[in-house]
């Protein structure tokens, strides 16, 4: 009798879990990881490390999906000089140690000649020590300022960086007439390097004539900011600047800031473009300002540039839904830059040739802007636009509209 | 600085830690074991609740009821299928505790397999963004979380003290052999304890969803805070876990506000070490089960 009861209970539980699984699986039937080959040629194998587990995995899954989908698209449209491109992917487990292990394995065991990184600047910085010594080009999509313009010869960035994003954030604050602000940053490489840039000895905020009323840091994946916000808002800052690691923590921050009746602008980095932000905080997003190299839209027809439309269409065709985060444009550009370099290098087995091909890229227009790597400092993009939320919709930043929406007139 | 805002924030965190801590105590009292997967019960409850409410679009109360039932069954199944079998094979208690750590990982990766790695967002439960409580703006879902947590605590108290089964559980916790000799079904009591522990964790997970969202690593956040609360109050003492949870909720929030947000966990665990050093039986002087 007891055995029967336990068996029945276990069966019922299993059925409930299956129902939950079915409810989830019906939303995503496609497998973006199977790369199809159009040509008969021997595939070109490149290395890749991605955040597939760990605290940031939730934020990074779309990067990996978009990268693989873009390369699949490239292969379906002739590949690289008739040859398809395939990946060997290792999990960096959201840690610099994991990234180092991954690139070491890619270089020593798998003998790859080009590596595409994950989006975590700390991981890229750690991996760089291995790839620079081995002379293997690496194209990264993190935005931290620590790993370009630092003498690296084989490390490149296919997205905006703090060097373009941060000046735009200062510009937005100046356009709003901000006199003082509270500053928050996440405790990782991105946040610490940003804090140094904004508030260090030659801090950009002070140079712009903006007083910093308080500086607070928090741990990655934090979701309760009650105490730190309460302390910061006691100084009545006109604006808040936050350097965050992911959309869920940013969404929670915005929600809790508005809950504590903060009515000013919140200026942040480009991951505010992620579609999860409005899901977390709805109309409370109003007044959230962010720079971005490119912005995805809710419909293909509303795409801001032809290349953004191409990227959005690619995502839609492969996954059956519009992409919700502009950060996937990084992975699109990453794959395109890699493919362009492999096409023009002359010898895909020579990492120096691939590096020289990347350095020769100039005037290549992709989703986030027009790339020019000829300066040799690793960065390919020099500018980005500023956007803001009007309710749950993203729009080009307009300081007058922003003041009106926040009741600051 | 608005102290009431801090108090409400502290109550939210304290409620979560208290419930997780009380779950630890219920299992420890009934079986002498520490269940390191208690925090993951919160995570699984949150995902299940989110599935019923958001994907299957069931009414809120029905979703809550289904979550409680599902988690209750999950707790019993884990106890009967894994724990009982390990103990039957004369496994050392410490190995069984290590096994619960493995169960914790299984629950996390199982949830990743079922629900993916994206953060799961609950829609708003009420048709309003904020309400005013004593002049302070607060989201209604936050009040719901505090309310559901307190209802769970009261429900647990009433169950343990006013029902035959609850009294049987307390008797079994005091002396299993004596309880068995007076006709109490000790194996059933232990299974129900695991079920209750998982169910109350599921309730708080379901309540957390609309406030903080649901993500895979939330269990790892609440596990150490939960057992810290239980140990602080006196491991095995449910009221101690309640007091311990509230203490750590207030400590974290006020340390964040007045000292540091980055190192608030350092302060939390430093206090725990001090308590273990100077008063190892906790605030309520709960004796350790030999």
């Amino acid at each position: 009798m007891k055995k029967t009861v336990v068996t029945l209970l276990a069966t019922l539980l299993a059925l409930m879990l299956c129902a939950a699984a079915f409810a989830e699986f019906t939303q995503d039937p496609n497998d973006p990881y199977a790369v199809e080959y159009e040509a008969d040629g021997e595939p070109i194998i490149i290395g890749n490390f991605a955040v597939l587990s760990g605290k940031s995995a939730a934020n990074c899954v779309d990067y990996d999906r978009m990268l693989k989908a873009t390369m699949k698209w490239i292969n379906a449209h002739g590949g690289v000089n008739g040859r398809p491109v395939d990946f060997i992917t290792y999990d960096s487990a959201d840690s610099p140690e994991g990234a180092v292990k991954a690139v070491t394995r890619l270089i020593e065991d798998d003998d790859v000649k080009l590596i595409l990184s994950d989006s975590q600047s700390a991981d890229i910085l750690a991996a760089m020590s291995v790839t620079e010594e081995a002379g293997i080009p690496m194209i990264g999509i993190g935005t931290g300022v620590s790993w370009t313009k630092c003498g690296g010869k084989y490390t490149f960035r296919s997205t905006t960086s703090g060097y373009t994003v941060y000046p735009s954030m200062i510009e937005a604050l100046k356009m709003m007439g901000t006199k003082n602000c509270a500053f928050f940053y996440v405790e990782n490489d991105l946040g610490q390097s940003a804090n140094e840039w904004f508030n260090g000895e030659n801090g950009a905020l002070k140079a712009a004539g903006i007083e910093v009323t308080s500086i607070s840091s928090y741990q990655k994946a934090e979701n309760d900011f009650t105490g730190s916000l309460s302390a910061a808002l006691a100084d009545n800052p006109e604006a808040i600047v936050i350097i965050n690691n992911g959309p869920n923590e940013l969404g929670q921050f915005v929600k809790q800031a508005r809950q504590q009746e903060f009515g000013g602008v919140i200026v942040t980095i480009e991951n505010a473009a992620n579609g999860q932000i409005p899901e977390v905080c709805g109309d409370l997003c109003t007044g959230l300002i962010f720079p971005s190299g490119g912005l995805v839209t809710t419909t293909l027809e509303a795409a801001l540039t032809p290349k953004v439309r191409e990227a959005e269409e690619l995502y839609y065709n492969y996954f059956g839904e519009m992409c919700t985060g502009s950060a996937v444009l990084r992975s699109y550009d990453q794959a395109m830059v890699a493919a362009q370099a492999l096409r023009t290098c002359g010898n895909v087995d020579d990492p120096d040739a691939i590096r020289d091909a990347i350095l020769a890229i100039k005037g290549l227009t992709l989703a986030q802007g027009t790339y020019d790597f000829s300066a040799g400092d690793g960065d390919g993009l020099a500018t980005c636009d500023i956007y803001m939320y009007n309710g749950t919709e993203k729009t080009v930043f307009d300081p007058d509209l922003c003041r009106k929406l926040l009741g600051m007139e | 600085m608005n102290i009431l805002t801090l108090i409400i924030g502290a109550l939210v965190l304290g409620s979560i830690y208290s419930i997780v801590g009380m779950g630890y105590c219920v299992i420890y009292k009934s079986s002498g074991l520490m269940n390191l997967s208690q925090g993951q019960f919160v995570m699984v409850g949150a995902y299940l609740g989110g599935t019923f409410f958001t994907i299957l679009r069931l009414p809120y109360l029905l979703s809550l009821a289904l979550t409680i039932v599902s988690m209750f069954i999950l707790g019993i199944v884990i106890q009967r299928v894994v724990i009982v079998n390990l103990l039957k094979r004369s496994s050392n208690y410490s190995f069984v505790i290590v096994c619960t750590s493995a169960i914790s990982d299984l629950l996390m990766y199982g949830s990743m397999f079922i629900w993916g790695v994206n953060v799961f967002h609950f829609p708003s439960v009420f048709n309003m963004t904020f309400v005013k409580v004593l002049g302070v703006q607060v989201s209604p879902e936050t009040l719901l979380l505090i309310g559901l947590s307190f209802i769970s605590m009261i429900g647990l108290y009433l169950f343990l003290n006013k029902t035959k089964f609850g009294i049987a559980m307390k008797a079994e916790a005091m002396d299993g052999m004596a309880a068995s000799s007076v006709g109490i079904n000790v194996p059933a009591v232990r299974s129900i304890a695991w079920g209750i522990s998982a169910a109350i964790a599921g309730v708080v997970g379901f309540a957390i969803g609309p406030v903080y969202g649901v993500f895979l690593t939330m269990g790892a956040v609440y596990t150490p805070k939960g057992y810290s609360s239980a140990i602080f109050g006196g491991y095995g003492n449910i009221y101690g876990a309640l007091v311990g949870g509230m203490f750590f909720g207030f400590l974290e929030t006020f340390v964040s506000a007045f000292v540091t947000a980055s190192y608030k966990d350092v302060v939390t665990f430093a206090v725990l070490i001090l308590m273990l050093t100077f008063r190892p039986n906790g605030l309520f002087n709960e004796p350790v089960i030999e």
Side-chain angles (χ1 to χ4, degrees):
Chain A
M1 174 65 185
K2 281 182 200 170
K3 257 194 187 170
T4 312
V5 169
V6 171
T7 309
L8 274 172
L9 285 174
T11 310
L12 186 59
L13 179 67
L15 282 171
M16 281 189 178
L17 288 172
C18 284
F22 180 73
E24 276 299 311
F25 284 143
T26 51
Q27 293 176 27
D28 185 17
N30 297 309
D31 173 14
Y33 292 96
V35 178
E36 293 164 8
Y37 301 131
E38 189 194 43
D40 289 338
E42 189 190 342
I44 301 169
I45 307 296
I46 60 178
N48 167 230
F49 62 93
V51 179
L52 301 176
S53 62
K55 275 184 179 174
S56 302
N59 299 328
C60 298
V61 64
D62 255 359
Y63 294 121
D64 192 52
R65 273 159 50 110
M66 187 61 167
L67 177 67
K68 303 292 167 43
T70 307
M71 204 53 87
K72 197 171 170 178
W73 183 89
I74 291 170
N75 290 339
H77 290 80
V80 169
N81 302 330
R83 290 174 68 184
V85 178
D86 198 0
F87 293 99
I88 298 177
T89 300
Y90 294 126
D91 182 10
S92 60
D94 191 23
S95 72
E97 302 80 35
V100 167
K101 278 185 203 163
V103 295
T104 303
R105 205 171 152 192
L106 285 168
I107 293 170
E108 290 181 4
D109 296 347
D110 303 310
D111 196 27
V112 300
K113 307 300 180 198
L114 173 65
I115 293 175
L116 305 187
S117 84
D118 68 22
S119 62
Q120 302 297 293
S121 289
D123 299 355
I124 299 168
L125 185 64
M128 198 177 151
S129 60
V130 177
T131 55
E132 286 288 329
E133 192 178 329
I136 300 293
M138 176 170 65
I139 303 175
I141 54 170
T143 58
V145 297
S146 57
W147 54 276
T148 53
K149 297 186 185 2
C150 59
K153 293 182 170 46
Y154 291 87
T155 309
F156 302 95
R157 190 199 310 266
S158 62
T159 185
T160 54
S161 72
Y163 293 114
T164 48
V165 165
Y166 303 156
S168 299
M169 291 166 68
I170 299 278
E171 187 60 29
L173 287 168
K174 282 162 126 177
M175 287 165 77
M176 289 298 297
T178 303
K179 304 270 187 310
N180 58 58
C181 71
F183 189 87
F184 284 78
Y185 68 97
V186 60
E187 282 283 0
N188 63 4
D189 176 74
L190 169 70
Q192 284 170 359
S193 58
N195 183 42
E196 183 57 33
W197 193 90
F198 280 96
N199 302 309
E201 209 176 300
N202 303 311
L205 281 167
K206 193 175 171 187
I210 298 171
E211 182 200 348
V212 180
T213 55
S214 64
I215 300 174
S216 306
S217 64
Y218 63 91
Q219 294 296 324
K220 212 158 68 162
E222 177 66 76
N223 57 12
D224 183 79
F225 298 94
T226 308
S228 52
L229 267 171
S230 194
L233 295 179
D235 295 322
N236 293 316
E238 291 176 12
I240 294 176
V241 176
I242 174 167
I243 309 297
N244 68 91
N245 192 67
N248 190 53
E249 78 191 43
L250 176 63
Q252 291 297 334
F253 183 90
V254 170
K255 188 166 137 183
Q256 289 169 35
R258 297 303 186 210
Q259 181 172 302
Q260 294 198 36
E261 300 188 71
F262 174 69
V265 293
I266 301 173
V267 182
T268 187
I269 56 176
E270 70 294 338
N271 61 15
N274 190 293
Q276 288 188 55
I277 310 286
E279 280 182 35
V280 176
C281 50
D283 286 342
L284 300 174
C285 290
T286 300
L288 181 62
I289 301 170
F290 60 97
S292 182
L295 203 64
V296 297
T297 48
T298 48
T299 62
L300 291 173
E301 292 71 29
L304 297 171
T305 68
K307 279 295 177 186
V308 169
R309 175 160 181 150
E310 194 174 280
E312 288 185 326
E313 212 162 47
L314 188 157
Y315 191 99
Y316 184 82
N317 288 338
Y318 278 107
F319 302 115
E321 58 187 7
M322 292 295 290
C323 50
T324 55
S326 296
V328 299
L329 299 179
R330 299 189 205 178
S331 299
Y332 173 85
D333 285 6
Q334 187 183 35
M336 291 297 189
V337 166
Q340 177 69 5
L342 290 169
R343 277 190 200 105
T344 58
C345 67
N347 182 356
V348 298
D349 294 319
D350 181 357
D352 284 335
I354 298 171
R355 180 203 59 192
D356 292 342
I358 297 173
L359 286 169
I361 291 175
K362 194 170 178 174
L364 176 66
T365 300
L366 295 172
Q368 295 180 93
T370 301
Y371 286 83
D372 179 353
F373 288 98
S374 61
D377 57 11
D379 279 306
L381 288 175
T383 60
C384 60
D385 297 320
I386 308 175
Y387 301 91
M388 60 180 250
Y389 275 93
N390 178 354
T392 55
E393 293 300 318
K394 297 181 275 275
T395 183
V396 175
F397 174 57
D398 177 345
D400 292 328
L401 176 62
C402 193
R403 278 190 211 97
K404 186 176 166 189
L405 291 170
L406 292 173
M408 291 166 77
E409 291 175 309
Chain B
M1 201 179 301
N2 196 317
I3 295 295
L4 193 53
T5 302
L6 295 177
I7 289 172
I8 292 173
L11 280 172
V12 169
L13 285 182
S15 301
I16 297 169
Y17 299 158
S18 294
I19 291 282
V20 177
M22 288 164 87
Y24 277 112
C25 292
V26 166
I27 288 177
Y28 182 68
K29 266 300 194 195
S30 69
S31 55
L33 292 170
M34 182 188 243
N35 173 24
L36 294 176
S37 59
Q38 188 65 24
Q40 303 296 10
F41 286 161
V42 174
M43 182 264 298
V44 173
Y47 271 114
L48 272 175
T51 302
F52 296 133
F53 184 60
T54 308
I55 298 178
L56 298 176
R57 298 190 189 278
L58 299 175
Y60 186 81
L61 288 176
L62 180 58
S63 302
L64 176 61
L66 284 172
T67 303
I68 292 171
V69 168
S70 306
M71 291 307 298
F72 181 79
I73 295 170
L74 178 68
I76 290 177
V77 167
I78 287 174
Q79 195 267 346
R80 294 308 293 256
V81 171
V82 181
I83 306 299
V84 165
N85 276 317
L86 278 175
L87 290 170
K88 260 187 197 165
R89 284 161 173 72
S90 305
S91 279
N92 191 297
Y93 265 37
S94 10
F95 297 154
V96 177
I97 293 168
V98 169
C99 179
T100 63
S101 174
I103 292 171
S104 171
D105 282 344
L106 275 174
L107 287 174
M108 194 186 81
Y109 287 107
S111 298
M112 188 195 291
F113 179 73
I114 295 172
W115 288 286
V117 297
N118 282 334
V119 178
F120 197 114
H121 294 287
F122 274 60
S124 184
V125 180
F126 304 97
N127 284 331
M128 58 187 93
T129 318
F130 297 124
V131 293
K132 285 264 188 182
V133 174
L134 299 174
V136 164
Q137 200 160 254
V138 65
S139 78
E141 286 82 9
T142 303
L143 298 175
L144 184 62
L145 191 162
I146 297 172
L148 278 175
S149 299
F150 275 95
I151 289 171
S152 301
M153 292 175 206
I154 294 167
L156 185 63
Y157 167 81
L158 290 172
F159 176 80
L160 288 173
N161 292 289
K162 304 290 181 194
T163 65
K164 264 189 185 172
F165 205 92
I167 294 168
M169 273 181 71
K170 287 173 75 175
E172 186 271 330
M174 285 167 64
D175 190 330
M177 200 173 285
S180 179
S181 67
V182 298
I184 291 173
N185 187 335
V186 168
V189 164
R190 287 180 178 161
S191 297
I192 298 287
W194 275 75
I196 289 171
S197 182
I200 58 173
V203 168
V204 84
F206 184 66
I208 286 172
V211 178
Y212 293 130
V214 186
F215 46 96
L216 285 172
T217 51
M218 65 194 285
V221 169
Y222 301 127
T223 293
K225 304 285 175 66
Y227 67 60
S228 299
S229 306
I231 290 169
F232 186 86
Y235 204 76
N237 188 309
I238 290 168
Y239 312 114
L242 168 62
V243 170
M246 286 298 163
F247 172 76
F248 282 119
F250 275 79
L251 180 69
E252 253 189 52
T253 304
F254 280 80
V255 163
S256 290
F258 292 103
V259 182
T260 169
S262 229
Y263 301 106
K264 58 182 179 175
D265 288 349
V266 174
V267 174
T268 299
F269 293 118
V271 166
L272 178 67
I273 289 171
L274 284 170
M275 177 58 88
L276 281 169
T277 305
F278 294 106
R279 201 176 165 91
N281 288 342
L283 210 62
F284 285 65
N285 207 23
E286 183 73 18
V288 172
I289 294 173
E290 295 294 338

